Amino acid sequence: MKTLLLVLVAVAGLQACALQRVSRAGEGQASSEALTVITGQVNYVIDGQFKTPYGAFRPAWQAPPMMALSLTTGDPHVFGQVDNTDGRFRWAVPPGAYVISSIGMGTYTDDTRIDWPRVVLCVPRAPGATVYVGHLRLEGTSYVEDVRLSTGTQYTSRGVRYAFRVTDDAVEAPGQTKRLMQHQPGMPMGDRLVERWRADAPALERELCGGMVR
């Protein structure tokens, strides 16, 4: 969480950035030049089990919202919660490349909170179309470990370790662009991301998204 805040402060210092909220797209809404309608899913899959349906209170898990940094403008964007039933989303997003900086609503000590999953979202201009970007699976494995510190203190640590996978679950459809959300393990994060963005933002966008967003 501290790293995320430092990065947002650093990016905000580069230009007059503002927190942007991404709105849900209506069922009949199609992409325009200014906004691309994207669809897909985000799901927690813990110990092989989907945590849907999501709910507001434990033991249910909350539907995961996302925050992402635009490599086009430098602005942080807040993406609304996904559907409680199955994790699907339908959002209207300005075209460009986005690096997901956090997923989940909890604090940095919460098992549902994930910072810097190294996932990029590439949003092309697609007037008149709907763009399917993929199904992001937050695949967690629960662990219980006994920890012994150098001071001799012992305690039991419990939590979830995550891996990230994007699958293509959509049926082929005419005019549908696919595979635009990707997990890239070698992606720069934190301060390195800001440094690369500051040095040459278009080059970083091309590295992560190729020519998909133009």
Side-chain angles (χ1 to χ4, degrees):
M1 182 68 172
K2 182 178 179 183
T3 301
L4 171 60
L5 291 174
L6 289 174
V7 169
L8 291 179
V9 169
V11 173
L14 299 179
Q15 56 187 73
C17 298
L19 187 65
Q20 305 292 323
R21 296 192 177 276
V22 173
S23 62
R24 294 177 184 267
E27 287 301 319
Q29 183 176 349
S31 301
S32 64
E33 283 289 342
L35 294 172
T36 299
V37 175
I38 63 172
T39 64
Q41 284 178 268
V42 182
N43 283 116
Y44 293 108
V45 186
I46 309 300
D47 299 325
Q49 300 296 315
F50 281 81
K51 303 308 290 185
T52 48
Y54 299 114
F57 304 102
R58 291 293 187 96
W61 285 43
Q62 292 183 336
M66 298 193 310
M67 179 175 282
L69 297 176
S70 167
L71 299 184
T72 305
T73 65
D75 291 335
H77 286 65
V78 176
F79 292 74
Q81 289 183 335
V82 300
D83 186 86
N84 284 330
T85 303
D86 56 11
R88 294 184 185 276
F89 61 79
R90 183 182 178 87
W91 294 321
V93 186
Y98 297 82
V99 174
I100 296 175
S101 54
S102 67
I103 300 172
M105 297 183 65
T107 67
Y108 69 95
T109 59
D110 193 304
D111 291 337
T112 66
R113 171 83 185 199
I114 301 167
D115 288 329
W116 300 120
R118 286 186 162 85
V119 173
V120 62
L121 175 61
C122 306
V123 181
R125 283 184 173 79
T130 298
V131 176
Y132 173 76
V133 297
H135 183 181
L136 174 58
R137 296 166 57 103
L138 313 173
E139 299 184 341
T141 302
S142 301
Y143 68 88
V144 179
E145 296 176 347
D146 292 329
V147 178
R148 183 184 180 91
L149 302 178
S150 59
T151 59
T153 301
Q154 298 184 42
Y155 65 94
T156 300
S157 174
R158 294 178 172 84
V160 177
R161 292 192 178 96
Y162 283 97
F164 309 103
R165 187 158 64 99
V166 181
T167 60
D168 188 354
D169 301 339
V171 176
E172 293 283 355
Q176 191 173 61
T177 307
K178 307 177 73 173
R179 298 181 185 89
L180 294 175
M181 183 162 48
Q182 305 167 14
H183 176 232
Q184 297 187 15
M187 178 190 303
M189 287 286 101
D191 292 339
R192 285 186 57 231
L193 177 69
V194 174
E195 290 168 3
R196 294 283 308 280
W197 185 86
R198 177 182 290 174
D200 193 338
L204 179 59
E205 183 179 288
R206 289 192 298 272
E207 178 182 324
L208 297 179
C209 288
M212 290 186 289
V213 300
R214 299 301 177 195

